Amino acid sequence: SLQVLKEVLPLLKAQEDYSNDALYEMLCAFVKEKGYKNGYVMWPIRTAASGKQMTPCGATEILEILGKEESIARIEKAIEKLVCMSSFTKSQSEAIRHQDGPLLVLAGPGSGKTTVVTKRVQYLVQDCHISPSSILVITFTKAAATEMKERFLR
C-alpha cells in the first residue's frame, strides 16, 4: 500500500479534472502501465481517502466527493502513517493497533515498550477517537512513567 500511494500521489497532484470518470481513467491507465491489478491500486487509495477498509463506493468516487485538496491531504497523511508504522516489528504494530480491550506490553529492556505504548495511545486518541480520559497506562517505574508523560505531551 505504501509504495502504491507513493507512486500515485504525483499523478493525483497533477490531475486537473477530479471527476469520477477522469480519475478512474487516469488510474486505470496507471494500472495498465505498471501491470498491476486494479484492486492493488484502488484499495489503498480508497482506504487512505476514506479511513475505512470497507466503503459503499470506490476510490474514485471518494476522491471526487472529497475534492483534490482534501484527497491529497488524506493520502499524504496515510503515507506518513504507513512510513511510521513500517519502522515497527509485526508484534509492535499489532500492539499499537490493538483495539479490543486491555493490552499488556511485556518485553525486555530497550525493546521499544515505551515507544509502542505512546504510539498506541496516540493511535487510540487520534485514529479511534477514544477520549484520553478513558485510557489507563500503568508502568512499573517512575522513570518510565515520566518518560511516557513527556512523550504524550509532545
Side-chain angles (χ1 to χ4, degrees):
S1 295
L2 177 59
Q3 187 58 39
V4 168
L5 292 175
K6 283 181 173 182
E7 290 179 43
V8 153
L9 185 59
L11 300 175
L12 292 171
K13 285 181 175 182
Q15 181 74 15
E16 294 293 324
D17 183 356
Y18 255 64
S19 68
N20 178 50
D21 292 339
L23 288 163
Y24 187 78
E25 185 179 316
M26 181 267 295
L27 289 171
C28 283
F30 171 77
V31 163
K32 186 176 180 181
E33 174 191 324
K34 294 291 187 174
Y36 295 149
K37 291 192 177 213
N38 206 13
Y40 182 76
V41 173
M42 299 298 187
W43 185 83
I45 294 170
R46 184 186 72 200
T47 304
S50 70
K52 307 283 182 199
Q53 290 186 356
M54 302 293 283
T55 61
C57 58
T60 56
E61 290 97 347
I62 293 169
L63 295 177
E64 180 182 36
I65 291 166
L66 293 174
K68 184 175 184 174
E69 188 176 306
E70 182 64 20
S71 295
I72 290 170
R74 289 183 182 204
I75 289 172
E76 287 174 336
K77 185 176 180 180
I79 290 170
E80 183 181 309
K81 286 182 179 182
L82 287 168
V83 167
C84 175
M85 290 304 291
S86 69
S87 65
F88 294 105
T89 67
K90 184 177 183 224
S91 295
Q92 289 171 325
S93 294
E94 288 172 0
I96 291 167
R97 291 185 179 158
H98 176 80
Q99 295 179 30
D100 300 324
L103 175 73
L104 173 66
V105 176
L106 187 62
S111 60
K113 292 180 301 297
T114 302
T115 300
V116 166
V117 170
T118 55
K119 284 291 181 189
R120 175 171 158 66
V121 171
Q122 180 183 11
Y123 170 76
L124 291 172
V125 171
Q126 293 178 353
D127 295 353
C128 300
H129 309 290
I130 294 174
S131 170
S133 63
S134 298
I135 300 169
L136 174 65
V137 176
I138 299 173
T139 184
F140 291 103
T141 68
K142 187 173 182 176
T146 302
E147 176 67 21
M148 282 189 220
K149 182 179 178 182
E150 288 172 4
R151 291 188 193 186
F152 291 147
L153 296 174
R154 276 190 248 152

